[in-house]
Amino acid sequence: MGRIVDYNLTEEISHGVYVSRLAREVSLALGCDERMQYDMALAGLLHDIGKLRLTNYIYGDDMEDYPLMIEEMKYVRMHSLLSYDIAKSRGYNDRICESIRHHHENMDGTGYPENLSGEAIPEGSRIIRVCDVFAALTTDRPYRKRFTKDEAFALMIEEINSFDMRVFLAFEHVIHRAGTDYRPDLPDVDGILLGNLVGVEKILRGTRLNS
């Protein structure tokens, strides 16, 4: 079966920037202060950094023809904890680190790594969760083409129990306000992130070397 993970640094940074921009704007729409907006921008940028330690397991050429095996899925689900460990070791604050750690938790308790539910999930994680799902759905993957904005919304509504409704409604407002093709490419980066991208790439490459 080929590898499940073939980590493309440029694509992953681009995805991180996409989630980062969305998370920052959703935070603004929720009325969060500038510190929270900044933390969400960084959490979005770093949320999947742990995938670098799973490069033998995620996305291979044969992904289209083979489902994930149980053991491999266990490894894939480690990435949020690995991302948390990396962010923590680099001195990012608790809100950023906890937002990263729990960004795959669902409001109905069906997520991971700890099956948290409702208000037990950090607010930052609830923001990143919505933005990450939308960004993933509206981006080409090795095993499928990207969905349109409307298709992505329809799929997310089918899984609405996974999301914080207050966050989801703020997110919907952001997307509709921004237009039908809200996909910031890598060069389109706010000044708030420019100082971090070089450092993030160094972290990513250092993590790969040390994994």
Side-chain angles (χ1 to χ4, degrees):
M1 165 171 157
R3 291 176 301 172
I4 304 173
V5 180
D6 184 10
Y7 195 97
N8 182 304
L9 186 61
T10 300
E11 289 180 5
E12 290 298 335
I13 291 179
S14 183
H15 173 73
V17 170
Y18 190 175
V19 174
S20 174
R21 292 282 304 278
L22 286 172
R24 181 181 164 202
E25 294 195 35
V26 170
S27 300
L28 176 61
L30 287 168
C32 299
D33 61 27
E34 289 186 5
R35 183 71 249 181
M36 177 67 167
Q37 294 172 41
Y38 180 77
D39 285 352
M40 289 302 94
L42 287 179
L45 192 65
L46 295 167
H47 72 285
D48 278 345
I49 195 172
K51 285 183 179 179
L52 271 173
R53 292 183 179 168
L54 298 172
T55 51
N56 290 326
Y57 296 97
I58 303 176
Y59 299 152
D61 293 337
D62 299 327
M63 181 68 179
E64 202 171 351
D65 302 317
Y66 296 95
L68 295 181
M69 302 299 287
I70 292 175
E71 190 64 25
E72 290 159 344
M73 180 62 83
K74 285 168 59 179
Y75 278 105
V76 171
R77 289 189 169 197
M78 288 171 56
H79 84 270
S80 57
L81 294 174
L82 294 173
S83 298
Y84 167 85
D85 288 343
I86 294 167
K88 194 75 172 175
S89 72
R90 297 288 172 162
Y92 288 95
N93 69 44
D94 287 344
R95 180 159 61 191
I96 292 171
C97 294
E98 291 298 323
S99 296
I100 290 170
R101 180 185 182 94
H102 296 291
H103 77 271
H104 276 288
E105 304 283 7
N106 293 328
M107 290 295 285
D108 61 3
T110 60
Y112 61 89
E114 296 177 20
N115 302 116
L116 300 182
S117 62
E119 297 294 318
I121 303 170
E123 182 182 21
S125 301
R126 287 178 257 151
I127 293 171
I128 299 298
R129 180 70 173 137
V130 172
C131 299
D132 186 34
V133 170
F134 183 82
L137 288 173
T138 55
T139 301
D140 288 335
R141 296 295 194 180
Y143 50 91
R144 63 153 173 81
K145 293 295 185 182
R146 68 176 181 170
F147 294 99
T148 67
K149 182 198 74 171
D150 290 339
E151 289 169 340
F153 268 116
L155 290 169
M156 293 174 75
I157 288 171
E158 288 180 8
E159 302 294 331
I160 198 66
N161 289 340
S162 298
F163 307 119
D164 180 326
M165 279 304 301
R166 177 171 166 267
V167 172
F168 187 84
L169 291 173
F171 166 78
E172 187 176 20
H173 172 75
V174 166
I175 295 300
H176 285 302
R177 185 192 69 213
T180 59
D181 191 27
Y182 187 76
R183 293 194 68 253
D185 295 320
L186 187 57
D188 183 19
V189 182
D190 287 345
I192 195 172
L193 295 176
L194 288 175
N196 287 285
L197 274 177
V198 173
V200 167
E201 184 160 358
K202 287 180 180 178
I203 293 172
L204 289 168
R205 295 193 183 281
T207 300
R208 176 177 291 173
L209 290 172
N210 296 327
S211 60

